[in-house]
Amino acid sequence: MRNLTTRLVILLMLALMIITGIYDYVRLGRERERLVEQTREDERIFAETLALAVSRNVRWGRTTAELKELLDDILARPGLVAVAIYAPDGQVVAETVSPGAAAPTLDDIVRDALASKEAVSALVSAESGRLLRYVQPFRWPGRQTGAIEVRQTLAGMEREFRRAVRENVLSRLVVLALFVLSVVALTRWSIARPIRALMAGAQAVGRGDLAQRIEVARRDEIGQLAEEFNRMATNLQMAHDELLHQAEERLRLEQEVHQAQKLVAVGMLAAEVAHEIGTPLNIISGRAEVLERVVPREHPERRHLDVILKQTERISGIIRALLDYTRPRRPSLRAEAIVPIVGRVADLLLERSRRRGVRLELDLPIGLPRVLADPDQLQQLFLNLLLNALDASPPGERVRVTTGPDPLLPAEGRAGIIRGKVEGPCLPIHVVDAGKGLTAEELDHVFEPFFSTKGRGQGTGLGLPIVEEIARAHRGEVEMLSIPGRGTEVIVRLPLAGSGPPDPGGRTRDSAAEAGAHGD
Ligand SMILES: Nc1ncnc2c1ncn2[C@@H]1O[C@H](COP(=O)(O)OP(=O)(O)O)[C@@H](O)[C@H]1O
Ligand SMILES: [Mg+2]
């Protein structure tokens, strides 16, 4: 059976019906016996009184006709079906019988009464129903004994009894119906409702909503069940969170191992390249410098020499970047103010930003907390970020360096990637540009060594991997957010230098850099 309430109601009803059924059966049986007994008693009193009257009349020598008249009057009494007077020899002297009833004759019951001179009563079955017979002996003239018999039908009583049974059954049914209704209402309210709440909770948890709790403010078993359920859900949630945390930790470790492997591979390659290319490159640039000195400035082929010198410089730049990337980075960390570091980088890029027509804006407030930093490495980090931002920005735009807890780029249409992991309080530095931005797929690759969208000979694809390396070495993290066509934001989060004094650098709006933006 699907429904608990229905099942409970049916079981209760069955139990109730059996109990009240047995009780009523016994009670009504007794009642019936009592009624018969009462009728018997009534009949006895009546028969005794009648016997006295008849005995007197017989002694006075009344004729049979007169006796019969007497009996006819008596028969008017309700329930009587026959009255008869027997002489000592058992002959019926006078009788009166209601229509349809059998006429009294001498039989064992009468003989018994005459012989014993004691009243005899008997319950006999007749066609018209049960009959109660009562034979009362009385004194007959001449020291003899006659008898009078009264027959009473029990049909009326039976009818009455059947009506009582009917009423009884009916009232029982009404009580039962009321009972069922109240049980249904009660179970709905006190069992079905909280159980439904339990079920809803269990289903929600089954669907994975581990934050689900059941509110049952009761102290009974259902309340305890709800409490246990809630405890279980809490444990599940804790276990779930723990697993999630472990998985994240594993992923972080894997990423670190991956990064280290990349470093080793690129490092071997870089050493090889530096060794193989470095020497011939030095020879080429040496010879070119010699030629530069000897070839006159006006010489028509002099421009080839300039190209050679520029390109050899590029090649050594690439080799430097490779070696730089793979150089083991063990920073000497100390409490440092961030503003002077970023300021130095801005100074370095002054000329470049002016040429590109991009305004470089430093928007860092007074009193920034100090971070744990290796200034040289952080300088490298911000240099790489600002170079990328400048490269991506069209003329007339600006590149901002600022701080704050939340990204400046709106969340809509924004993709992101994060490297490293910072724990505890940190200082976030944002580098924001309004350049061409990056797609989510591109973002997935930007931290891979040699990934570059810049034209051939333009980018090494090592700028961001170095940024990641330095951020990790500072136990910090770097997050890159971008909306294609709208701009890019890189947030570097660096752990604070404990409870050191705040950064004395103050607000630095790099006027030189700003001036540069208006330059061309
Ligand atoms: N601020 C930025 N805006 C748009 N794209 C960027 C930005 N910074 C980095 N990128 C993309 O990430 C790539 C990798 O950057 P990086 O590692 O510095 O290498 P490189 O600058 O030598 O190409 C770049 O080629 C560019 O496509
Ligand atoms: Mg770069």
Side-chain angles (χ1 to χ4, degrees), residues 22 64 174 250 252 341 402 483 496:
I22 291 173
T64 303
V174 170
R250 227 183 356 259
R252 201 174 64 78
I341 297 176
T402 184
I483 304 176
L496 298 187

Side-chain angles (χ1 to χ4, degrees), residues 10 66 103 184 314 330 337 360 406 413 470:
I10 289 179
E66 280 167 339
V184 168
R314 269 193 56 76
R330 231 167 263 111
L360 199 55
D406 301 316
I470 295 174

